Amino acid sequence: MTLAERTTARFGELIGAAPDIAVRAPGRVNLIGEHTDYNDGFVLPAAIGQHSIVAARRRLDNVVRMIAADFGDVVSEFDLSRPIAPAPDQPWSNYIRGMAATMQAHGVDLGGTDIVVAGDIPQGSGLSSSASLSVATGMALGGLFARGHFGATQIALMAQAAECDFVGMRCGNMDQLASAHGVLDHALLIDCRSLDIRPVALPPGAAILIVHSGISRGLVDGQYNERRAQCEAVARQLGAAALRDVSLDELDAARADLDPIAYRRARHVVTENVRVLDAAQAMEGGDLVALGELMAASHVSMRDDFEITLPAIDHLVAELQRAIGGRGGARMTGGGFGGAVVALVEAEAAQAVIDHVETGYRTPDGNTPAIMVERAHAGASFL
Ligand code: GLA
């Protein structure tokens, strides 16, 4: 049984009726372009094979009742006749609450709903389990109460707003757009300002490896929001709308006036935007060597300029790079401070790389890391 089948079957057992609607929305792995999305820049993520499932059915009252099938069927509920508030003791439910509140603010007249959610994206791994839950919720509620009026991009932007305003993580729009728009066997070159999305075919014969460091990202929203504030402050100081509009020459010309840490934060973003565009081009040319160099440079920039890696993650990336040689690359993926590392390798070399990493890296509790061999998957869909 697939996760979707298990979830809809569980819905029937718990609610006593079949769901009116069920949605799957994938997580994402970002190949390159970290902390560029909220600077109006470029990113190159791909949707992955793990996802969140949301099954939902209208109720006759005003209650939204949410059940987390993965957390022992724990229940959380709210009443639509009162303002929707976060539930600090049930953080998983806040992505659904936030999405409901955001859709209301967009004029959707929600009604009582039974919701069962489940997912197989490892949490705290930088693979966007939360964005996928928000996107799946938005599609399900949009299908039930807005006659599918919202397109994939609108759902993604509402999901982003829900996470920023309701959950308090001031994220960009990459995760939600990638989950909503994923294309099989393609990465997505996203212009996070214009919202233009260009699918870029993965090099033929390449595989994506996702290696879990075993270090959960934990409570790092504060660090994330601080990085974002630093970037926005530099843009303001330079009179730019966003760091997207600043070149490395312009940044260097202003260096003497900038706080040294702020300068390095901005240098990461400015150089990373260029790397994303170069990587998309290298990918189109099937050039795994160039991609490997760009991924390596991205990791160094995250480590030294943006300071969001950890020594254990740096070690894991170095082990992967050693095993890969020149044909492909590796870097930390996602917001940072733990989570997963992504590698792009020739499919026939994947097993040797896995063997090497299983010998050369141990998680903090002494285990071999969990490794997934992935291709790029399609975006969110109704089941
Ligand atoms: C998190 C955020 C994204 C993005 C990445 C870093 O995943 O949700 O918006 O900023 O971190 O690239």
Side-chain angles (χ1 to χ4, degrees), residues 28 30 33-38 128 169 171-175 224 334-335:
R28 63 98 189 94
N30 190 19
E34 229 60 86
H35 289 260
T36 44
D37 58 355
Y38 56 77
S128 299
M169 156 91 172
C171 62
N173 54 20
M174 162 172 70
D175 308 345
Y224 183 95

Side-chain angles (χ1 to χ4, degrees), residues 22-379:
V23 180
R24 60 164 279 285
R28 63 98 189 94
V29 62
N30 190 19
L31 298 175
I32 195 163
E34 229 60 86
H35 289 260
T36 44
D37 58 355
Y38 56 77
N39 290 297
D40 278 2
F42 301 96
V43 292
L44 193 63
I48 58 175
Q50 283 71 31
H51 41 250
S52 296
I53 306 284
V54 169
R57 180 184 173 93
R58 279 171 180 262
R59 292 166 60 102
L60 297 173
D61 57 12
N62 259 328
V63 172
V64 176
R65 197 157 179 271
M66 305 159 283
I67 305 180
D70 299 326
F71 299 155
D73 298 331
V74 59
V75 179
S76 181
E77 60 179 49
F78 59 93
D79 193 322
L80 287 165
S81 32
R82 286 191 289 275
I84 304 174
D89 55 328
Q90 305 269 9
W92 62 274
S93 76
N94 288 335
Y95 298 98
I96 304 173
R97 290 166 190 268
M99 201 63 206
T102 306
M103 294 182 87
Q104 279 183 331
H106 280 78
V108 180
D109 186 16
L110 297 175
T113 313
D114 282 313
I115 297 177
V116 174
V117 304
D120 58 3
I121 306 166
Q123 289 171 19
S125 61
L127 299 175
S128 299
S129 57
S130 50
S132 81
L133 175 56
S134 306
V135 167
T137 301
M139 285 178 60
L141 294 178
L144 286 181
F145 299 106
R147 296 202 196 84
H149 165 74
F150 296 107
T153 296
Q154 281 172 302
I155 296 278
L157 295 181
M158 286 192 288
Q160 179 206 5
E163 192 151 345
C164 286
D165 303 338
F166 198 86
V167 179
M169 156 91 172
R170 295 190 60 226
C171 62
N173 54 20
M174 162 172 70
D175 308 345
Q176 298 80 2
L177 287 169
S179 177
H181 283 283
V183 175
L184 185 69
D185 290 333
H186 288 68
L188 304 176
L189 175 60
I190 305 178
D191 178 335
C192 298
R193 171 178 278 166
S194 71
L195 304 180
D196 180 59
I197 300 177
R198 180 151 62 88
V200 182
L202 287 173
I208 300 171
L209 293 187
I210 300 174
V211 185
H212 295 277
S213 64
I215 307 166
S216 180
R217 284 188 56 213
L219 297 169
V220 294
D221 297 4
Q223 295 265 23
Y224 183 95
N225 290 347
E226 180 192 83
R227 294 296 186 285
R228 180 168 179 162
Q230 288 168 328
C231 292
E232 288 168 348
V234 176
R236 260 197 312 277
Q237 204 176 330
L238 299 181
L243 287 181
R244 149 77 173 268
D245 304 306
V246 176
S247 70
L248 186 56
D249 285 347
E250 286 161 347
L251 182 67
D252 281 340
R255 184 168 188 170
D257 302 326
L258 291 170
D259 165 76
I261 294 184
Y263 167 78
R264 283 190 287 116
R265 300 292 186 259
R267 184 169 61 183
H268 164 72
V269 173
V270 167
T271 57
E272 184 83 345
N273 273 328
V274 176
R275 283 188 288 270
V276 174
L277 297 175
D278 289 350
Q281 210 174 6
M283 203 171 274
E284 270 161 354
D287 188 346
L288 276 175
V289 174
L291 277 168
E293 285 163 3
L294 290 162
M295 290 173 86
S298 170
H299 188 84
V300 168
S301 180
M302 291 192 287
R303 184 191 68 199
D304 297 345
D305 277 354
F306 220 62
E307 295 184 278
I308 53 171
T309 73
L310 300 170
I313 300 267
D314 298 336
H315 168 66
L316 173 54
V317 167
E319 286 296 327
L320 278 160
Q321 289 169 339
R322 195 166 308 138
I324 292 166
R327 299 203 43 82
R331 57 183 284 284
M332 185 188 72
T333 186
F337 307 102
V341 163
V342 63
L344 208 54
V345 301
E346 286 177 320
E348 63 244 36
Q351 193 53 52
V353 173
I354 292 172
D355 292 345
H356 179 96
V357 169
E358 284 181 340
T359 327
Y361 180 82
R362 284 284 169 279
T363 65
D365 43 20
N367 296 315
T368 52
I371 303 178
M372 313 192 296
V373 184
E374 277 290 327
R375 65 197 291 192
H377 285 257

